[in-house]
Amino acid sequence: MTDTTASPSEAQAAPADLPRNPPQRALPLNRELAGVWANDRGIWGQITSVSHTTLGLRFMATALVFFAIGGILAMLIRAQLATPDGAFLDTELYNQIFTMHGSIMMFLFAIPMLEGLGIWLLPKMLGTRDMAFPRLTALGYWCYLFGGLIMLTALLFGVAPRDGWFMYTPLSSSAYSPGINADVWLLGVTFVEISAVAAAVEITVTILRQRAPGMKLTEMPLFAWYMLGTSAMMLVGFPPLIAASVLLELERAFDWPFFDPLRGGDPLLWQHLFWLFGHPEVYIIFLPAAGALSTIIPVMCRTRILGYGAIVAAVLGLVFLSFGLWVHHMFTVGIPHMALAFFSAASVLVAVPTAVQVFAWIGTMWKGRPELHLPMYHILGFFLTFVLGGLTGVMLAIVPFNWQAHDTAFVTAHLHYVLIGGFVFPMMAAITYWMPLVTGKARVRGVGEAAFWVILIGFHGTFFVMHLTGLLGMPRRIDVYPDNPEWIWLNLTSSFFGFVMTIGFAMFALDMLLQVTLGTRARRDPWRAPTLDWAMPLPAPSFNFSSLPTARHLDRPASEVMLELACGDGALPGAPRGQREFLVTSVGAARPDHVAHLPGNTSLPFALSSSIGVFVLLVLWQLYLLAGMALVPVAVLIWVWGRGLAPRGPLQPIEIAPGVTLPVHHQARQSLGQSGLVAFLVANAALFASVLFGLAFLSVVTQGPAPPPAMIDTSRIAWATGLIAGAQLLGMALSRGGAPVWAALGLCANAVALIALLAGIVPVLDDPTAHARDALRAAMAAYVGLHLLVACGMAAFVLDQYRRGEITEQIRGAWAPWRLWQDFTSITTLVTILALIAQKGGA
Amino acid sequence: MKWLWWVLAGPTLWAVVFVAVYSAHGAVCAPIPGPEGLTTGARLLLIGIWILGVVAFWPLLRAVPTGTGRAARLPRWGAWIGFFATVFTLFPVVFTTSC
């Protein structure tokens, strides 16, 4: 075997299947790794943990607690609707409860649950030791927890949001929703979305760059394909919601009239932006669940999945098509016929890739020998429920039917069939399947099976009749119906079975509790699965693998591979350097590229999310000056975060297998950090595109009053634009440099652009409270200003790295991230300036 | 990475044709909103863009890597998915809609 030492270019040629490492004793290897990867002790250890196993489980556990809370709220709704004149809740509280039920289930249960599953499972399944950015995982968790707690606390104090989980304007505008109720939703959800974008970034990078050597993209487990599709959708789908929430909060706080039709705004802009997120959201929720199904079904049927390629193609088709469906939520708002035709056709078409997957699963069961273990019960429950939900989805895609059923209980029934069928049943299958890997214990038989039947009967009893209630004309979200006796028995039936379903979920929780407390020790690889997640001791250790799997360990029974890996046969055995390490591989063929050193346990994510939480609370209390000041510690902590990435000690190439050495990530040409920044910039571009879409929508589609005539100081705009353009082009050139003076000049160029924006462009903008288009221009100027400020910060950070001697000939430090950011900032700045000038000219 | 681009080429082309048809519809309808806005010429323009989009799949379907095995199949399927999505979702738009 030739030595493939040192340089990144040579490392590209490192073979995917690596030579065997000499066998070692498993126990000392295990102890060495545990010493490096374990959490610190006690409560502090929980706060500082950055382990994907700990945080993934914590995400899921927290999501299940929120699921229980959301379920209790659902029971309050059903209690109210059980009789036509229900006096159980007053209207105000009822509104808050159904809004919180939907918001909790969508934002605090479903999304975090899938994030948790991905964070916990992907490194195990792909054959690595952690996610790409462990501190980001922790930051995401704390943001999720704090955002969720803010929303829950508001409910306890009676100031929870009350405008429905999609917060339509003008109902949610300050004229019709005074008080902080709507602000709680807008700020709380945006806070929680930090965690979703963070998870999407690291899931994307982990799947593309951390697969076991030799695990080609075309051969990786289907779950990873599903999660890759999901994370891509999250990167593009969540920014429109973030943009919409920020705009609405600006309207409520500062009277910038984005959605006010009297001042050139349009409530439909909110609907477009919300559903641009909201419909892909359904697939974001469904795809990971489908990934779990594609993993579990072949194992339960003792066969291989049928139609791997067709399923991957279906996933890709769904990812694209799901962004072409959002208007089917708006068929009744008076949109052009063209949109009706296209979105109806696209909504019908999306049934095709969904059906491809369902047929692939049925075919897999057909060719295999299904064994009726508990996960399989839930899978069969999924088939029944989800297919029914899919069929009513096709009904709702047909425009004339949609017009009849819109905003009735029929839609409520449909969405519960899709979401409980397409997410909750598969998640219950996933939980029961992977529980032994979590607890190391086998389940106690009996309660789980009974829970399944009670849930299934309760669910269909609740929601099947709700289709009829809707077809009889009962609207969603009403709290009394004294004049409609024809709905009484149907509602009473739904309420009765709703409580049955709740009992079922309580039994499911009991089953889990019994497994944790009374379960006997599970044998290793209890399902005889072929995936790497079972090729480890039970419960899974914090480092997953004593040595990392390579090509020869793939596609073999986990029980066979387990012992080889435990004895150091794979790559990078143990932790001889006392650092957390894993392999980074190439995107397509998964060839070893370099070794990444990870940061250890730290309280930084907790501190940063707490600082963001303080900012959110101050905005909520309308203390805007203090909120601005609260951003200072946020900026300082982000700076400290960056400094934590500095190399510790000399950077020697690392031997990952006999004769194969790789550089560490500081010397890599394409580090994980760069890949992560690219993913983040995709999300950022989607945010920018959403705001541009808003500007185009208000300019072209909205039929409101024209903006007041503006006096354009052309000479002032001309010099400012020229200065900004020149400074940005200079900044782009300088960020490619490699000397401190270039960084200093880059800092100056960005500062000049920022000053030119503030002195030359901002003063000629019209009063943002006068007209919606003026408000959007001001918002875009603020977006650009923020990006220029960050570009200044990144140039300054590079300078600081020179000062501390962290940039050498071999180590490029933060040059590459700064270049990426600078390019993005320059492009968005120039596009914004052009848009502002064009708008100004057309105004 | 190149392989992934091939896989995504078909759906991406569908998205491009969708944007083109939608933009053209907006442009031809802007002067005269209402059912009479879509003149025969305007409809022919929409149909022309749609046919151009469909025809654009021809070189893609020809250029997409051939061969057997999953790595070759997926880009081919991606191209066909884009093709059928373009035909199916834009057909009613160009033939039946008004302004």
Side-chain angles (χ1 to χ4, degrees), chain A residues 343-383:
Chain A
F343 288 99
S344 177
S347 304
V348 172
L349 187 66
V350 82
V352 175
T354 312
V356 166
Q357 295 167 78
V358 172
F359 284 120
W361 295 325
I362 292 173
T364 304
M365 290 196 291
W366 194 280
K367 81 182 176 104
R369 288 177 289 109
E371 294 174 359
L372 204 56
H373 300 292
L374 184 56
M376 200 64 189
Y377 280 71
H378 292 293
I379 288 169
L380 295 175
F382 152 82
F383 276 114

Side-chain angles (χ1 to χ4, degrees), chain A residues 67-88:
Chain A
F67 179 66
I69 294 168
I72 291 167
L73 297 181
M75 290 307 96
L76 297 180
I77 296 170
R78 286 313 327 165
Q80 169 69 17
L81 293 177
T83 56
D85 292 305
F88 189 68

